[in-house]
């Protein structure tokens, strides 16, 4: 039913409006007794549980950062079967993000272009919501993805990240440093090893005992990816998230005029699958077996999840396919993973 609903109705709505409407429903699912009823239908099979980062993940499959920017839908997403929810990207200073429109579907490619620009209510607001969640036992692992506030100069980025980490790490199961979004000016320059090393060192100190990961871009060269992976190990990080959206537009089925009209921003969805696997294998080859690698990019099916796990991923995340597969996407993947173990 959902594919028909998407083609006939949802695809006609502005993508950002449709996302907010979906989030309103997801938030309702997080409220008792709706949570209990939904969870009874979607709870991952016990044999899917994964031990990583000193935590127990109910399933290897979770929802990537960007879907729930303000930690408002965590319980609802857990009710839909996701084993972890990475909220954010959260910035120390609240910000509205880039001007609208800033989210575009490429339906022929099952992809999305976004230039949201870290729109979020800020670290203090996220911390208050996370504190309430912690009192209510969300039944999912919660990661928090942090980024640089737009009004802060790149030269002052470390202090800005540290402010977010200090506020949010005590409330997060793990913390992810986002230096790879293409939608904040100058941000990707922080991935240079000589710049990234002191930033990660400072954030790790602020995070304390909370596991710290770094999220990288797929547009880096293979040599740069390997160097960052080795740096993450050397600095004592707990893992790497591979990867963020891409600025590439290669190999798209959508007509060039539509792609050009969408403009700048990060591309996510099915077209990233090949590069995602390449980046995953590069990272895994450069880090110890016990090092956590979270694979994201082009994940749609249980077979995609299995492929990432077989290639060395500890955990797998998705986002864009939610738009095209619908609310039972997480449940479908978990059931297929359990059926074909």
């Amino acid at each position: 039913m959902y594919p028909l609903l998407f083609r006939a109705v949802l695809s006609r709505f502005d993508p950002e409006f449709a996302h907010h409407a979906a989030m309103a429903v997801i938030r309702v699912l997080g409220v008792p007794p709706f949570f209990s009823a939904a969870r009874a239908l979607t709870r991952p099979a016990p044999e899917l549980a994964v031990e990583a980062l000193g935590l127990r993940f109910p399933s290897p499959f979770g929802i990537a950062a960007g879907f729930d920017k303000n930690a408002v839908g965590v319980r609802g997403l857990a009710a839909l079967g996701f084993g972890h929810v990475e909220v954010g990207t959260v910035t120390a200073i609240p910000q509205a993000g880039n001007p609208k429109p800033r989210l575009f579907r490429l339906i022929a490619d099952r992809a999305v272009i976004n230039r949201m620009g870290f729109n979020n209510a800020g670290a203090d607001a996220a911390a208050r919501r996370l504190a309430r969640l912690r009192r209510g036992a969300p039944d999912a692992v919660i990661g928090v993805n942090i980024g640089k506030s737009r009004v802060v100069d790149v030269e002052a980025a470390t202090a800005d990240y540290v402010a977010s980490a200090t506020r949010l790490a005590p409330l997060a199961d793990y913390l992810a440093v986002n230096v790879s979004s293409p939608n904040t000016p100058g941000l990707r320059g922080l991935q240079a090893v000589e710049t990234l090393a002191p930033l990660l060192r400072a954030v790790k100190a602020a995070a304390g005992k909370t596991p710290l990961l770094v999220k990288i871009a797929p547009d880096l060269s293979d040599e740069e990816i390997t160097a960052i992976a080795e740096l993450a190990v050397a600095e004592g990080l707990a893992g790497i998230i591979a990867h963020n959206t891409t600025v590439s537009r290669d190999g798209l089925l959508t007509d060039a005029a539509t792609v050009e009209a969408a403009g700048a921003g990060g591309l996510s969805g099915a077209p990233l699958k090949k590069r995602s696997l390449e980046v995953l294998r590069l990272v895994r080859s450069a880090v110890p077996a016990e090092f956590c690698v979270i694979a994201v990019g082009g994940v749609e099916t249980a077979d995609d999840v299995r492929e990432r796990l077989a290639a060395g991923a500890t955990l797998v995340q998705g986002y864009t396919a939610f738009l095209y597969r619908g609310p039972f996407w997480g449940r479908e993947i978990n059931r297929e993973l359990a059926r074909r173990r």
Side-chain angles (χ1 to χ4, degrees), residues 193-215:
V193 168
E194 61 273 15
T195 307
L196 187 58
L199 188 155
L200 293 177
R201 204 171 297 139
V203 176
K204 185 173 184 294
K209 295 182 179 179
T210 303
L212 182 67
L213 297 85
V214 61
K215 187 169 187 176

Side-chain angles (χ1 to χ4, degrees), residues 73-96:
V74 173
R75 283 183 58 82
L77 289 166
L80 291 174
F82 294 101
H84 69 280
V85 179
E86 189 171 309
V87 302
T89 296
V90 179
T91 55
I93 301 170
Q95 54 190 48

Side-chain angles (χ1 to χ4, degrees), residues 3-339:
L4 177 62
L5 177 65
F6 177 81
R7 288 195 303 271
V9 180
L10 299 180
S11 64
R12 301 177 186 274
F13 286 99
D14 170 77
E16 190 167 351
F17 172 83
H19 177 79
H20 287 308
M23 280 300 297
V25 176
I26 289 167
R27 292 177 72 170
V28 171
L29 288 177
V31 178
F34 299 109
F35 177 85
S36 299
R39 195 61 170 157
L41 297 173
T42 65
R43 187 184 302 277
E47 61 266 27
L48 293 181
V50 175
E51 300 290 333
L53 304 174
L55 306 163
R56 184 182 184 277
F57 291 74
S59 161
F61 186 58
I63 197 82
F67 197 94
D68 184 4
K69 294 178 181 294
N70 290 302
V72 297
V74 173
R75 283 183 58 82
L77 289 166
L80 291 174
F82 294 101
H84 69 280
V85 179
E86 189 171 309
V87 302
T89 296
V90 179
T91 55
I93 301 170
Q95 54 190 48
N98 290 321
K100 299 178 181 180
R102 54 195 180 180
L103 186 64
F104 307 87
R105 303 183 191 94
L106 305 184
I107 294 176
D109 292 287
R110 302 180 71 80
V112 163
I113 291 173
N114 94 81
R115 52 173 175 272
M116 302 300 289
F118 291 169
N119 54 307
N120 75 106
D124 284 342
R128 289 192 293 271
R129 292 191 181 102
L130 289 168
R132 289 195 294 272
L133 277 169
R134 289 303 178 201
R135 291 194 293 271
D139 202 23
V141 174
I142 306 173
V144 181
N145 185 295
I146 60 173
K148 185 186 79 67
S149 304
R150 193 181 188 94
V151 297
V152 172
D153 292 337
V154 172
E155 293 74 17
T158 296
D160 189 63
Y161 277 99
V162 165
S164 292
T166 301
R167 187 74 175 94
L168 295 166
L171 300 163
D173 288 313
Y174 71 84
L175 204 64
V177 174
N178 186 347
V179 287
S180 51
S181 170
N183 300 318
T184 296
L187 187 73
R188 285 192 166 191
L190 295 174
Q191 293 177 110
V193 168
E194 61 273 15
T195 307
L196 187 58
L199 188 155
L200 293 177
R201 204 171 297 139
V203 176
K204 185 173 184 294
K209 295 182 179 179
T210 303
L212 182 67
L213 297 85
V214 61
K215 187 169 187 176
I216 62 174
D219 305 309
L220 296 166
S221 70
D222 291 358
E223 293 76 16
E224 289 171 320
I225 290 168
T226 300
I228 292 175
E230 292 172 347
L231 171 68
V233 174
E235 292 295 334
L237 267 63
I240 286 180
I241 302 173
H243 49 66
N244 215 314
T245 59
T246 182
V247 296
S248 171
R249 301 293 187 263
D250 293 342
L252 296 178
L253 300 174
T254 303
D255 65 275
T258 300
V259 175
E260 184 176 354
L267 174 75
S268 61
L272 274 71
K273 180 176 178 178
K274 180 176 182 291
R275 181 57 177 164
S276 178
L277 279 165
E278 292 172 350
V279 173
L280 168 60
R281 288 171 176 140
L282 279 169
V283 171
R284 177 47 74 195
S285 68
V287 301
E290 67 274 12
F291 194 78
C292 180
V293 180
I294 302 179
V296 56
V299 174
E300 276 205 71
T301 67
D303 283 340
D304 292 332
V305 175
R306 284 194 202 91
E307 188 174 35
R308 307 309 165 86
L309 295 172
T314 315
L315 301 163
V316 181
Q317 294 178 343
Y319 174 176
T320 303
F322 197 114
L323 283 67
Y324 296 106
R325 294 271 176 167
F328 294 112
W329 179 45
R331 183 188 71 166
E332 290 166 1
I333 284 182
N334 286 330
R335 288 190 171 182
E336 184 65 13
L337 288 176
R339 186 177 72 83

